[in-house]
């Protein structure tokens, strides 16, 4: 981040923030003549630059500055909501066009959950969206196996006591039978579950809106009523809605309007 109120920052910090290496690595790169500022080789990594105006290159490759980045990802199944993982691809690795090295997912979706995930380096925004005090709405499409009681919507509204004795905040449950589900939600997924839309067999589709983010919350809420979630997709978070043109695994930068509205919300 640029110094508050000033226009300059150290070259090594600039390059470290843009994911070009550690400060030590960057100092070595500078000593070896690999870094240029405004077309001139710069060997002093602690030199101050204007991050918005300076043309910085590493090995002749331009490094563009972005203080904050915001991406909407349609998280696919099989990818983990983390910044690093030894076994699985992470959601951050899916953002091929990222500039910064400090992006992270805002909250977590389970490995087998799809849908909206915000990827950013804006810690203040993440904090506001995730703060338990703010009760930001999160809306999910859930396909469940089993039969919910007739008064399930009322039970969800009253708050559900989970298996560990904690009670959830009021949540809104509506049948998704009236919404046309895209093919991907009807057919068997990579996790081998037979899925169908509302009404077919034992599987029914629901739209659930919750206002908190307990561990595996949606799955545990349905489990408390004797049903198993076989497919889960997040549709929205606060006033940010998943762009349905994004297929699982695809992403796009947020628009200026989306960023503004998210910050205001
Ligand atoms: N609730 C869950 O059970 N899983 C998720 O991934 C998100 C919410």
């Amino acid at each position: 981040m640029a110094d508050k109120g000033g226009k300059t920052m150290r070259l090594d910090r600039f390059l470290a923030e843009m994911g070009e290496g550690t400060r030590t690595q960057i100092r070595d790169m500078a000593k070896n003549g690999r870094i240029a500022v405004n077309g001139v080789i710069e060997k002093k990594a602690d030199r101050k630059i204007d991050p918005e105006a300076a043309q910085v290159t590493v090995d002749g490759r331009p490094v563009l500055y972005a203080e904050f980045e915001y991406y909407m990802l349609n998280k696919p199944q099989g990818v983990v909501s983390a910044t690093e993982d030894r076994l699985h691809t992470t959601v951050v690795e899916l953002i091929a066009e990222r500039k910064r090295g400090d992006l992270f997912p805002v909250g977590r979706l389970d490995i087998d959950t799809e849908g909206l995930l915000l990827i950013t380096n804006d810690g203040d925004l993440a904090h506001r969206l995730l703060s338990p005090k703010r009760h930001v709405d999160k809306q999910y499409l859930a396909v469940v196996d089993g039969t919910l009681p007739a008064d399930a919507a009322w039970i969800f509204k009253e708050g559900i006591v989970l298996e560990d004795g904690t009670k959830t905040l009021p949540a809104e449950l509506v049948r998704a039978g009236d919404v046309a589900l895209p093919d991907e939600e009807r057919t068997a997924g990579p996790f081998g579950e037979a899925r169908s839309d509302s009404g077919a067999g034992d599987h029914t589709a629901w739209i659930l809106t919750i206002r908190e983010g307990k561990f595996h919350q949606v799955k545990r809420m349905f489990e408390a009523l004797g049903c198993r979630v076989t497919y889960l997709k997040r549709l929205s978070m606060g006033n940010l809605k998943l762009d349905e043109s994004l297929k699982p695994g695809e992403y796009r930068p947020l628009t200026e309007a989306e960023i503004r509205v998210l910050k205001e919300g």
Side-chain angles (χ1 to χ4, degrees):
M1 201 186 302
D3 296 335
K4 287 235 169 356
K7 278 222 187 299
T8 62
M9 70 192 294
R10 283 170 55 139
L11 180 58
D12 53 359
R13 179 173 175 188
F14 168 97
L15 287 169
E17 284 190 10
M18 303 320 294
E20 294 294 331
T22 63
R23 295 246 188 145
T24 312
Q25 288 167 336
I26 290 160
R27 206 171 47 230
D28 288 345
M29 284 155 64
K31 272 193 201 143
N32 292 330
R34 295 174 55 197
I35 298 171
V37 177
N38 298 329
V40 180
I41 297 288
E42 178 57 71
K43 297 207 166 187
K44 290 201 197 99
D46 62 354
R47 162 187 173 172
K48 293 269 178 86
I49 59 160
D50 175 346
E52 309 285 351
Q55 291 176 351
V56 180
T57 57
V58 174
D59 298 329
R61 173 177 48 82
V63 180
L64 301 177
Y65 187 66
E67 185 177 6
F68 293 113
E69 289 189 276
Y70 304 88
Y71 296 98
M72 172 190 296
L73 170 70
N74 183 352
K75 179 194 168 297
Q77 297 185 351
V79 169
V80 289
S81 300
T83 52
E84 284 175 25
D85 193 89
R86 289 173 56 191
L87 291 180
H88 299 96
T89 305
T90 70
V91 288
V92 171
E93 286 165 348
L94 294 181
I95 312 296
E97 70 185 70
R98 66 189 186 275
K99 297 194 184 79
R100 299 196 54 108
D102 54 358
L103 298 186
F104 59 88
V106 177
R108 283 170 186 270
L109 293 177
D110 297 338
I111 190 165
D112 57 352
T113 300
E114 293 179 2
L116 176 67
L117 197 55
L118 173 62
I119 313 280
T120 184
N121 62 314
D122 185 339
D124 288 345
L125 178 64
H127 181 73
R128 265 183 283 139
L129 288 170
L130 297 176
S131 165
K133 290 190 196 131
R134 294 182 74 102
H135 300 153
V136 170
D137 280 0
K138 277 142 306 226
Q139 191 175 68
Y140 293 87
L141 167 68
V143 177
V144 306
D145 186 10
T147 307
L148 284 174
D151 57 351
W154 182 84
I155 300 174
F156 274 83
K157 196 169 168 210
E158 288 297 298
I160 292 206
V161 179
L162 300 176
E163 80 297 339
D164 64 359
T166 56
K167 191 171 179 192
T168 60
L169 289 175
E172 189 193 323
L173 180 74
V174 292
R175 213 30 204 263
D178 296 336
V179 295
L181 298 180
D183 283 348
E184 79 203 46
E185 280 105 40
R186 279 181 223 275
T187 52
F191 282 67
E193 300 287 357
R195 305 185 303 228
S196 68
D197 63 358
S198 165
D202 283 327
H203 289 76
T204 50
W206 302 86
I207 304 288
L208 178 65
T209 307
I210 60 174
R211 323 174 87 193
E212 51 197 333
K214 297 183 194 299
F215 189 58
H216 298 322
Q217 178 159 346
V218 173
K219 291 174 185 167
R220 289 163 69 205
M221 289 172 87
F222 281 105
E223 264 160 31
L225 296 187
C227 290
R228 195 169 64 91
V229 172
T230 59
Y231 175 78
L232 189 58
K233 174 179 180 178
R234 183 153 66 191
L235 305 175
S236 68
M237 182 176 196
N239 41 35
L240 185 65
K241 287 191 176 35
L242 178 66
D243 178 340
E244 289 289 348
S245 72
L246 295 174
K247 298 197 180 68
E250 292 183 346
Y251 69 91
R252 66 160 172 78
L254 291 194
T255 63
E256 292 295 328
E258 283 169 335
I259 296 169
R260 198 174 47 247
V261 170
L262 205 51
K263 287 183 175 175
E264 285 164 2

